[in-house]
Amino acid sequence: MATSGNKNINAKLVLLGDVGAGKSSLVLRFVKDQFVEFQESTIGAAFFSQTLAVNDATVKFEIWDTAGQERYHSLAPMYYRGAAAAIIVFDITNQASFERAKKWVQELQAQGNPNMVMALAGNKADLLDARKVSAEEAEIYAQENSLFFMETSAKTATNVKDIFYEIAKRLPRVQPAENPTGMVLPNGPGATAVSSSCCA
Amino acid sequence: MDEEYDVIVLGTGLKECILSGLLSVDGLKVLHMDRNDYYGGESTSLNLTQLWKRFRGSDTPQENLGASREYNVDMIPKFIMANGLLVQTLIHTDVTKYLNFKAVDGSFVYKKGKIYKVPATDVEALKSPLMGLFEKRRARKFFIYVQDYDEKDPKSHEGLDLSKVTAREIISKYGLEDDTIDFIGHALALHNDDDYLDQPAIDFVKRIKLYAESLARFQGGSPYIYPLYGLGELPQAFARLSAVYGGTYMLNKPECKVEFDSSGKAIGVTSAGETAKCKKVVCDPSYLSDKVKKVGKVTRAVCIMSHPIPDTNDAHSVQIILPQKQLGRKSDMYLFCCSYAHNVAPKGKYIAFVSAAAETDNPEEELKPGIELLGPVDEIFYHSYDTYVPTNNQEEDNCFISATYDATTHFESTVMDVLEMYTKITGKTLDLSVDLSAASAAAEN
């Protein structure tokens, strides 16, 4: 996918939102869509990586799902650590989930990095008859808090790819230096390289 | 909460989190609780506000130290042997993908009031003033023997049965001087005291091999690696593994009282009036204080500084071993320093620790020789804790209690305890060695 001259950007993306808002299904829809051939193997269903090409760059998302740790307010600080983007998900048929989404935005503003790209996803947009949160209300909230807002449906795929594309477009093109990547352990020279260097 | 679990784990220290992760991966239904509102228990890393709350009884640190959230001050400072058991466990569980590591710049040893770099290359070894020229030749022969030693290949044993011969005997065979023995035993084999000299040499030899293999692994200036953002990331990462495999997490649960049936077997845990049932309880010593006994005490100074430790080539991360004999003690003291280079402090700040198994009741006086090596400090906190080991029989009460983190400088004994507990809980042995090569093969693809 990456053409030479294009920038490669690695971006950690975290999902937040109420239990049942549809975080995991959004990710599954996104990664099982037309990019399925690039999907890397995962343990459980809580860590995906997916590559997207936007105009001037190739963005590799490392997508973190909450793995259920939000249920009893037990998400670890490491979840937010170094995240370049976040999708805060609520269910448009559930007013309480929208109120919870606002709490997650506050939490991110307190814990996350200040340049984080934040998207607000009003999920289950296919269930129009059961709508409890108006698009206007969510849009106003998003603008006031420097988020961008989209209504999505993991079921029909509406706007799912679009929200990830929009994030990819908005990511800063220069990776912040404050978040250096360390070594990858399994790539070490391995256990067989024995050195006799001590005082030899 | 009113469900039945296979295992309830109490406390989110590193040991409990590794076990929770391994057990969830095995398909057991795990509930993991902690009385604190943060992960890590005793092995957490604190920000500045938390540090002040714990040691100064206030939550307003001075502003000139920088932002509280940029600090991750380890409560159990240790480095990770690059080829040791913790790395094998991280690879086995694939938890490495949640973490970033960096090599530790240097490893030093204290001798007659000065500190010297533990040689990391042949050139450094030749130049090192730690030994005279003839002693270097004798030591070289010993290291070649250690390097070639292969437990499975009797030809490499040179007629010595290391499960019977003591470390003292093998050292005397090579005619090494006392200072050299001190250096090898404490700065390379990382023994905390001299008890090893009269024990079978096999452990001593394996520890030196581990040091050399770890040193070779990332071609750094030390055999150690350390995670960005501090050791508090480790329990969080293993907790995430557990959650991904279905483990349920509840922090900030007061009390966490283990319930027993009439025969003394653990059957559940009660918190805030709700009881969750379980078949087994896994916990740190603080949750079952009547089933543990005190075995020692660790004493520590935690320092915030604006400069690296003097005479360490301005290392941003470093370990210095002060062997017991050099200080007239019964066990070693060690210094541990990390900095903004590992994202544990704001730019320009260093966190240094001086640790030892307590031999007196006066930590300030006892740790003085180590603290004097640091130069001026911005802030210093003293901190002592008792160490406990379990006294119960898990077959009678279904309780599996970890031992308190000891004063060693790295995680080998920590993971040994975890692996032994895993075997007691499941009846299975965790084979880490196979997975290490599998992980390397996967990385090549």
Side-chain angles (χ1 to χ4, degrees):
Chain A
M1 289 252 332
T3 46
S4 60
N6 254 8
K7 281 194 177 114
N8 288 308
I9 299 171
N10 287 319
K12 174 173 168 181
L13 183 153
V14 297
L15 284 144
L16 289 166
D18 227 359
V19 174
K23 297 182 294 295
S24 304
S25 26
L26 270 185
V27 180
L28 283 169
R29 169 58 79 181
F30 175 55
V31 299
K32 303 254 176 179
D33 212 342
Q34 63 201 80
F35 291 99
V36 70
E37 65 268 33
F38 301 115
Q39 190 193 323
E40 291 176 14
S41 64
T42 58
I43 54 167
F47 188 89
F48 291 98
S49 84
Q50 180 68 284
T51 305
L52 265 188
V54 290
N55 307 332
D56 60 335
T58 302
V59 176
K60 185 182 179 193
F61 281 118
E62 286 177 5
I63 304 167
W64 290 45
D65 201 349
T66 53
Q69 283 178 303
E70 82 283 21
R71 189 178 291 266
Y72 301 102
H73 319 293
S74 302
L75 266 184
M78 84 174 307
Y79 189 70
Y80 306 100
R81 196 96 74 197
I87 304 179
I88 299 100
V89 186
F90 70 92
D91 170 357
I92 65 156
T93 71
N94 181 339
Q95 182 70 34
S97 80
F98 182 55
E99 300 309 319
R100 286 286 304 150
K102 293 179 184 173
K103 291 267 190 288
W104 286 115
V105 172
Q106 284 172 8
E107 177 88 3
L108 272 175
Q109 285 164 343
Q111 297 235 29
N113 105 55
N115 305 317
M116 190 186 288
V117 178
M118 288 194 276
L120 181 65
N123 197 33
K124 308 195 185 175
D126 50 294
L127 302 175
L128 282 175
D129 293 347
R131 178 192 285 278
K132 292 281 176 348
V133 183
S134 75
E136 295 72 34
E137 186 187 359
E139 181 62 49
I140 290 167
Y141 171 79
Q143 279 181 9
E144 284 170 352
N145 289 276
S146 313
L147 286 75
F148 77 87
F149 171 64
M150 279 190 187
E151 291 204 337
T152 56
S153 167
K155 190 171 172 189
T156 64
T158 309
N159 275 349
V160 173
K161 210 162 65 181
D162 310 66
I163 201 166
F164 285 91
Y165 262 108
E166 189 58 30
I167 290 169
K169 276 195 267 176
R170 289 174 186 235
L171 285 174
R173 288 302 181 251
V174 181
Q175 297 268 48
E178 68 197 58
N179 181 28
T181 43
M183 57 178 69
V184 180
L185 280 181
N187 290 338
T192 48
V194 178
S195 163
S196 62
S197 52
C198 296
C199 310
Chain B
M1 258 182 81
D2 31 321
E3 280 182 71
E4 180 155 359
Y5 296 86
D6 293 314
V7 181
I8 295 179
V9 184
L10 301 176
T12 52
L14 177 60
K15 289 182 182 180
E16 285 69 35
C17 286
I18 298 176
L19 283 167
S20 179
L22 293 171
L23 297 173
S24 287
V25 170
D26 277 354
L28 297 180
K29 191 173 175 187
V30 176
L31 172 63
H32 200 158
M33 299 199 281
D34 195 306
R35 62 166 80 88
N36 300 312
D37 62 359
Y38 53 84
Y39 280 91
E42 291 305 306
S43 56
T44 191
S45 304
L46 301 180
N47 65 31
L48 215 49
T49 309
Q50 292 170 320
L51 198 64
W52 247 254
K53 227 181 240 172
R54 183 175 299 193
F55 294 108
R56 294 277 152 89
S58 98
D59 49 12
T60 45
Q62 296 91 303
E63 284 177 10
N64 62 359
L65 293 172
S68 167
R69 58 184 274 184
E70 290 192 58
Y71 282 87
N72 296 293
V73 181
D74 297 336
M75 289 296 96
I76 309 283
K78 287 175 186 285
F79 283 135
I80 302 170
M81 293 297 268
N83 214 27
L85 287 171
L86 183 56
V87 166
Q88 291 177 36
T89 309
L90 285 161
I91 291 171
H92 171 81
T93 53
D94 205 14
V95 162
T96 45
K97 71 177 164 220
Y98 303 135
L99 299 161
N100 278 307
F101 295 90
K102 262 189 184 175
V104 171
D105 290 343
S107 172
F108 289 76
V109 61
Y110 175 92
K111 188 182 166 190
K112 299 194 170 73
K114 286 172 78 174
I115 59 175
Y116 299 89
K117 182 152 197 313
V118 177
T121 63
D122 294 355
V123 176
E124 280 185 8
L126 275 173
K127 284 190 189 154
S128 173
L130 276 166
M131 292 177 206
L133 191 59
F134 293 106
E135 182 68 359
K136 273 183 191 165
R137 284 190 192 159
R138 285 187 288 270
R140 185 166 186 274
K141 282 188 186 154
F142 172 70
F143 286 123
I144 289 172
Y145 172 75
V146 170
Q147 187 192 330
D148 292 342
Y149 182 84
D150 176 356
E151 209 175 353
K152 294 186 199 91
D153 178 12
K155 264 184 271 173
S156 72
H157 299 182
E158 295 184 9
L160 297 171
D161 181 355
L162 296 195
S163 64
K164 295 211 174 72
V165 176
T166 64
R168 191 188 297 282
E169 285 167 311
I170 194 156
I171 288 165
S172 68
K173 187 183 166 217
Y174 288 88
L176 300 176
E177 293 166 3
D178 281 354
D179 279 354
T180 310
I181 298 167
D182 224 27
F183 168 73
I184 296 173
H186 294 262
L188 302 184
L190 300 168
H191 284 289
N192 217 15
D193 53 41
D194 269 351
D195 292 352
Y196 75 95
L197 283 170
D198 296 311
Q199 284 159 11
I202 183 75
D203 181 47
F204 172 61
V205 167
K206 278 187 177 170
R207 280 164 168 256
I208 301 170
K209 286 177 87 77
L210 172 64
Y211 189 96
E213 287 161 10
S214 295
L215 194 59
R217 183 141 192 212
F218 294 113
Q219 324 286 328
S222 83
Y224 301 115
I225 60 171
Y226 182 83
L228 298 186
Y229 303 105
L231 296 174
E233 298 295 280
L234 294 168
Q236 294 178 43
F238 282 102
R240 182 168 169 79
L241 171 74
S242 180
V244 165
Y245 279 89
T248 302
Y249 274 81
M250 294 184 185
L251 298 185
N252 211 3
K253 298 298 282 185
E255 234 179 335
C256 292
K257 185 174 170 288
V258 181
E259 304 287 352
F260 295 92
D261 68 9
S262 54
S263 69
K265 283 192 191 313
I267 51 165
V269 175
T270 302
S271 171
E274 283 184 287
T275 303
K277 288 184 199 140
C278 65
K279 301 188 182 90
K280 287 169 182 167
V281 169
V282 174
C283 66
D284 73 44
S286 70
Y287 287 88
L288 279 174
S289 50
D290 55 343
K291 289 182 184 284
V292 296
K293 65 167 185 207
K294 183 183 162 184
V295 286
K297 190 174 176 183
V298 175
T299 182
R300 184 166 291 143
V302 183
C303 308
I304 300 173
M305 314 197 297
S306 301
H307 58 85
I309 297 178
D311 305 316
T312 58
N313 311 327
D314 292 338
H316 286 96
S317 52
V318 68
Q319 174 183 281
I320 306 171
I321 306 264
L322 293 81
Q324 45 162 27
K325 269 193 201 151
Q326 298 290 332
L327 303 174
R329 289 171 49 86
K330 293 192 212 72
S331 62
D332 293 358
M333 184 178 300
Y334 64 94
L335 269 66
F336 171 111
C337 179
C338 260
S339 69
Y340 58 95
H342 279 94
N343 300 13
V344 300
K347 185 112 185 104
K349 294 290 179 191
Y350 295 75
I351 311 288
F353 302 85
V354 184
S355 302
E359 293 174 8
T360 71
D361 285 326
N362 187 347
E364 267 175 69
E365 194 58 32
E366 186 164 356
L367 297 173
K368 213 174 185 178
I371 292 166
E372 279 172 351
L373 297 176
L374 299 177
V377 296
D378 299 345
E379 287 292 335
I380 187 162
F381 308 88
Y382 290 95
H383 160 50
S384 298
Y385 62 88
D386 293 332
T387 56
Y388 297 93
V389 294
T391 53
N392 66 316
N393 178 349
Q394 70 278 350
E395 283 172 20
E396 284 167 12
D397 60 10
N398 291 342
C399 296
F400 302 82
I401 308 168
S402 62
T404 314
Y405 301 89
D406 58 26
T408 57
T409 62
H410 52 74
F411 285 101
E412 295 310 295
S413 59
T414 302
V415 182
M416 283 304 292
D417 190 27
V418 168
L419 296 178
E420 282 165 20
M421 286 176 74
Y422 176 82
T423 299
K424 284 180 188 162
I425 297 164
T426 64
K428 294 189 288 188
T429 308
L430 195 66
D431 186 358
L432 295 171
S433 57
V434 173
D435 292 274
L436 186 61
S437 57
S440 304
E444 281 160 21
N445 292 334

